[in-house]
């Protein structure tokens, strides 16, 4: 005999009213206050500062390749709260284009250009995944994606320094993409990620989303495969860091 007393946590209603100074990121790694190039700023995502600026530029088309659905502003706030903030192994980042005028909707020093994050963070195994990885339509095919991904790679893979600078010193960073989204796969490979293979049926998709059908005994929603790419510490130390720096400097 045994006991299993687990109960799923009750969903919490997301909010954009909590002030930045009291917003708890609830993450199991040291989260940088800011990562920055000459054109892009990456900071922790704070709903009261960033949510409206992001969602007002958001489009349903952005979800075509994602395994989530946030059709309303409130559902987006719920996603940030329950999937990212309430999980200690995840943290979201706001990506800001500093070359644009300041956005008055969130007191942002530039224009909100994307939503990125770290997920599946494992300090024990020194591994994490970059995701979500959403660059808003206006900023796609610009320097924004390369700068944002480059900054997140540098923080994850650079080793810590005695003065408190440097990065996390992790060994493995993962990029997961929808097999139909070859632009995402290509963008990752351009930044130095190496393709490892395909994980089958890695996601259960939202209601009505096209994907891989399953038999009705395993749920009504379609499934999705994922192309898995990785950037590991030895890649980083053997030319990867220089490749990322060159990608940032050329775009």
């Amino acid at each position: 005999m045994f006991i299993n007393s687990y109960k799923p946590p009750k969903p919490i209603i997301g909010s954009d009213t909590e002030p930045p100074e009291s917003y708890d990121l609830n993450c199991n790694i040291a989260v940088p206050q800011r990562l920055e190039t000459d054109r892009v700023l990456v900071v922790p995502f704070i709903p009261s500062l960033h949510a409206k600026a992001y969602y007002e530029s958001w489009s349903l088309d952005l979800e075509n390749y994602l395994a989530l659905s946030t059709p309303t502003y409130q559902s987006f706030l719920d996603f940030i709260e329950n999937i990212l903030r309430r999980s200690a192994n995840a943290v979201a980042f706001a990506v800001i284009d500093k070359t644009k005028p300041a956005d008055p909707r969130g007191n942002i020093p530039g224009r909100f250009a994307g939503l990125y994050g770290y997920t599946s963070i494992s300090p024990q195994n020194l591994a994490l995944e970059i995701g979500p990885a959403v660059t808003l339509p206006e900023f796609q095919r610009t320097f924004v994606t390369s700068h944002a991904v480059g900054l997140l790679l540098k923080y994850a893979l650079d080793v810590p320094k005695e003065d408190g600078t440097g990065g996390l010193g992790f060994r493995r960073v993962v990029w997961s993409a929808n097999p139909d989204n070859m632009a995402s796969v290509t963008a990752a490979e351009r930044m130095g990620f190496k393709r490892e293979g395909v994980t089958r049926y890695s996601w259960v998709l939202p209601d009505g989303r096209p994907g891989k059908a399953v038999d009705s005994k395993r749920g009504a929603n379609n499934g999705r495969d994922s192309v898995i790419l990785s950037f590991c510490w030895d890649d980083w130390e053997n030319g990867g860091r220089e490749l990322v720096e060159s990608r940032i400097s050329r775009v």
Side-chain angles (χ1 to χ4, degrees), residues 6 20-21 76 80 87 121 150 208 219:
Y6 172 78
E21 59 270 16
F76 171 67
I80 293 295
S87 173
I121 303 170

Side-chain angles (χ1 to χ4, degrees), residues 146 149-158 171 173 187-194 230-250:
S146 294
V149 175
L151 286 168
L152 292 173
L153 279 170
K154 289 171 67 175
Y155 186 72
L157 293 170
D158 273 348
R171 300 178 181 181
V173 178
E189 291 179 324
R190 188 179 296 120
M191 292 300 296
F193 283 86
K194 295 180 179 179
S230 69
F231 205 138
C232 297
W233 74 271
D234 46 352
D235 304 320
W236 187 248
E237 298 295 346
N238 292 290
R241 181 188 291 106
E242 290 74 19
L243 172 65
V244 167
E245 291 288 2
S246 71
R247 293 300 183 195
I248 290 175
S249 63
R250 70 188 293 181

Side-chain angles (χ1 to χ4, degrees), residues 106-162:
N107 191 27
I108 297 170
R111 284 284 304 283
F112 197 104
L115 173 66
Y116 279 67
Y118 288 150
T119 55
S120 302
I121 303 170
S122 175
Q124 177 181 0
N125 293 311
L126 300 176
L128 57 78
E129 179 176 338
I130 292 179
V134 178
T135 300
L136 293 171
E138 180 183 346
F139 302 92
Q140 294 175 4
R141 292 176 291 279
T142 70
F143 55 85
V144 167
T145 298
S146 294
H147 282 233
V149 175
L151 286 168
L152 292 173
L153 279 170
K154 289 171 67 175
Y155 186 72
L157 293 170
D158 273 348
V159 296
K161 297 180 180 178
E162 291 184 0

